[in-house]
Amino acid sequence: MSVNESIQRLNAIPFDEITKSYQTPCFVYVGEKIEEQYQRLTKAFQKADVKIKYALKANNNISILKILKNQGAGLDAVSLEEVKLGLYTGFKSEEILFTPNSISFSEIVEAVELGVQINIDNISLLEQFGNKYGSSVPCCVRINPHIVAGGNSHIQTGHIDSKFGISIHQLRHVLRIVEKEKIVVNGLHMHTGSDILDASVFIQASEILFDAAVNFKHLEFLDFGSGFKVAYKVDDITTDIEELGEKITSRFNEFCKEYGKALSLWFEPGKFLVSEAGYLLVNVNVIKQTTATVFAGINSGQNHLIRPMFYDAYHHIYNLSNPTGTPRIYSVVGNICETDTFAMDRKINEIREGDTLAIFNAGAYGYTMSNNYNSRPRPAEVLWYKGKISLIRRRETFEDIIKAMLPTEI
Ligand SMILES: *Cc1c(COP(=O)(O)O)cnc(C)c1O
C-alpha cells in the first residue's frame, strides 16, 4: 500500500470520535488492513503449503492477535512471555514457534513443557537439547546464511558476526550433534533482516537453505523468516510480494520433489501484516520558532514511538486538523527530555497549536517498543474494525507507573 492509500484509509476512520472518546496520544489500528495484508501474502504463496507465523513482537495486543488467528495465522514468539500471550489468546501450542536468542536452557525446557515448536539458534543449546531430549522432542534449527539484505544496518541479522542463528559454515558441527544425539530436526529456519526488496536476494538465501536441508531426514517445514518491506515514504518501493510468491513457490515445490516429501513453507512476518494498519494520533502542544527552525511540539515522544530515533526510521506525518492548509516546513518533536525528533525539515500542511497529527506506520514496533521514560504513561490503543470503534488497551495512569515499586524504609 502506498502512503497515499494510507491517507485515504485514515480519512475513512472516525478519528474525531476516537480522539473525543479516548484522547491523544493514542494508537489506532484498522482491522481490515491487517486482514488484507494477510490475504495478499497467503494468496501470493498459495501454490505451496504456506503457513504464516505472525511475529507478535511487532504488535502484541490480543485483539490484533485474534484478528490474525481468525485468518489462520500461527505465531512466532521470541520470549516465553510471548508464548504465554499466544496461548492466552487461544492459539494452540503447536501453532506457536519459539525463536529466542541468547536465552538460558531452562527457558527452552519451559517452552518444551508448554508444547510449542522450538527453534534453536546456537550450537551450545543444540547440544544441551540433544542431551536432554534425544529424539523425543523435535526442534527446528535457525541457520544464518550470511545473506545481507539491503537497507538499514540496524535491522540486518545475516552478516558474518551476527548474534542470530548458527552460521551455515558450522553446518558440519550441527550435523555431528544431530547425529550423535539422534535429534529430530523437523524444520530449518532463516531470518536475514528486515528489508528484503527483490526476489533475487530471497532466492539466493533460500538456495543456501535448500542445500543445507538435504542433510536432514525428518524435515516437515522450511521457515524463510520475514523481511517484506512496506512503504514508509510517499514514493517508497516495496517488496513485490506477488513476484516473490511466484518465484519462491515454484523453486520450493521443485525442491520438495528433490527432497522426496511435501514440506510446508513458513514465513514469520511482523511489520508486513500490521505496520500500515496503525496510526499514532497526537496533539500539537506548542509551535516554537527559533532562528532557523519551526518546531511543532507534540504530546508524545520517543517513549511511545521510538523508531524514528532508534532506527532513523521515516514515518509520514499528516495534519488531520488542517489537511488542505498551506504546506510549511517543520521539525516535529516530542515532549521527552531527550532529542526526540519525529521529523526534520518536513513539509506538512500548516500546523497550529491544538491540531491533531497522524503518524503513519505505527502498527508495528510502536506500542511494543514503548516505555515509561520520563515517568510518562503509555497511550491507549484503539481498534477500528467492522465499522466499530473499540478500546483495546486503556491508557496507562500514574498508578501504573508506581504499581511495581515497593516502598521501603529509607
Ligand atoms: C522480528 C522478527 C521477525 C519479524 O520481522 P518483521 O521485519 O517485523 O517482519 C520475524 N522473525 C524473527 C525471528 C524475528 O526476530
Side-chain angles (χ1 to χ4, degrees), residues 55 57-58 76 78 99 142 189 191 194 225-227 268-272 365:
K57 74 177 191 283
D76 177 55
V78 293
T99 306
R142 179 173 184 172
H189 166 278
H191 170 68
S194 254
S226 177
E268 38 186 51
K271 198 185 281 175
F272 181 81
Y365 308 105

